[in-house]
Amino acid sequence: EAQVTQNPRYLITVTGKKLTVTCSQNMNHEYMSWYRQDPGLGLRQIYYSMNVEVTDKGDVPEGYKVSRKEKRNFPLILESPSPNQTSLYFCASSSMSGLAGGRYEQYFGPGTRLTVT
Amino acid sequence: GNSVTQMEGPVTLSEEAFLTINCTYTATGYPSLFWYVQYPGEGLQLLLKATKADDKGSNKGFEATYRKETTSFHLEKGSVQVSDSAVYFCALSDYEGGKLIFGQGTELSVKP
């Protein structure tokens, strides 16, 4: 089954304690992306990756890091989480072959609800 | 920059009522347009899409038409069910970074 998986699904942590949210896709997609969802703001892109070892900032990258060492994985790293990073996080992936024309939709993971106290 | 604006929610309807959720966009070029749905406690699922002007996307009784002249992509369904209760997001594809630009979401609640 084609899917994007995220772990953990729920996480409660304290300010300053480093954490990693994993994302993996089994569709051989080149493009992967992280979004955060906040009430009244919809989803906003944090970081994206066009391929292995190629990453770039989205609209709200502050406080986050990513890496893309393998095609299937795209972890999101919070080196020193703060309460304003409490949010619902989604990983997404897409094929690049139609992305330039904006024709291909993105496939989303189930989300990770993060609470930072 | 590109943006998407959706009607404010929450929207509460009775079962079998007609649904319209308005979505307008601002974009350069010719983006694709999408409606995603988020059921309670779940991730986003693609509901329908349209890739060029005058295209109509449809799925599960929902439909939306890409109107370039009014820069709109309104979601409609003729007869909603309780199981349609969810948050609906309008989105467009942005050439920069391949990202989707989302509206703020519209919560729909359907009562029996």
Side-chain angles (χ1 to χ4, degrees):
Chain A
E1 179 189 354
Q3 61 182 350
V4 179
T5 57
Q6 295 178 227
N7 281 292
R9 295 288 311 278
Y10 303 90
L11 180 59
I12 300 174
T13 189
V14 296
T15 299
K17 186 176 181 181
K18 180 179 179 179
L19 66 92
T20 299
V21 183
T22 64
C23 172
S24 183
Q25 51 91 7
N26 63 0
M27 294 169 279
N28 202 36
H29 284 166
E30 298 88 350
Y31 180 90
M32 297 185 75
S33 178
W34 277 102
Y35 294 85
R36 61 177 289 174
Q37 181 184 359
D38 300 291
L41 296 176
L43 280 79
R44 294 174 292 166
Q45 190 185 53
I46 303 170
Y47 268 96
Y48 65 94
S49 170
M50 294 284 192
N51 214 325
V52 176
E53 303 292 1
V54 180
T55 64
D56 210 342
K57 296 177 181 179
D59 294 323
V60 288
E62 294 77 19
Y64 304 95
K65 285 176 58 177
V66 293
S67 69
R68 188 89 182 274
K69 293 183 170 56
E70 304 167 282
K71 196 173 186 179
R72 64 183 294 124
N73 296 322
F74 190 46
L76 179 70
I77 303 156
L78 285 73
E79 294 270 2
S80 182
S82 63
N84 65 11
Q85 293 178 297
T86 293
S87 188
L88 180 57
Y89 292 86
F90 289 100
C91 181
S93 73
S94 179
S95 166
M96 284 295 290
S97 58
L99 195 61
R103 291 183 291 277
Y104 277 40
E105 68 269 23
Q106 295 186 18
Y107 297 83
F108 283 81
T112 295
R113 186 167 292 282
L114 172 65
T115 301
V116 183
T117 61
Chain B
N2 295 348
S3 65
V4 175
T5 302
Q6 288 180 236
M7 65 185 285
E8 294 278 338
V11 174
T12 302
L13 295 174
S14 298
E15 207 164 23
E16 299 185 2
F18 185 86
L19 169 71
T20 299
I21 300 178
N22 290 337
C23 171
T24 57
Y25 68 90
T26 302
T28 55
Y30 303 95
S32 293
L33 300 174
F34 307 87
W35 277 100
Y36 279 84
V37 59
Q38 184 179 30
Y39 297 105
E42 298 184 14
L44 277 75
Q45 302 174 26
L46 178 67
L47 181 59
L48 53 85
K49 68 177 180 180
T51 58
K52 61 183 187 297
D54 299 325
D55 266 3
K56 177 184 283 188
S58 61
N59 186 27
K60 298 181 181 180
F62 291 89
E63 60 182 34
T65 301
Y66 190 163
R67 302 281 189 204
K68 191 165 175 60
E69 64 276 12
T70 55
T71 61
S72 65
F73 193 56
H74 305 321
L75 182 69
E76 296 181 335
K77 187 175 185 182
S79 177
V80 293
Q81 305 300 312
V82 173
S83 57
D84 294 326
S85 297
V87 180
Y88 293 82
F89 291 93
C90 184
L92 65 81
S93 57
D94 192 307
Y95 293 103
E96 182 181 343
K99 66 186 173 190
L100 289 171
I101 295 186
F102 287 87
Q104 71 269 38
T106 302
E107 182 179 359
L108 171 66
S109 178
V110 181
K111 306 296 185 188

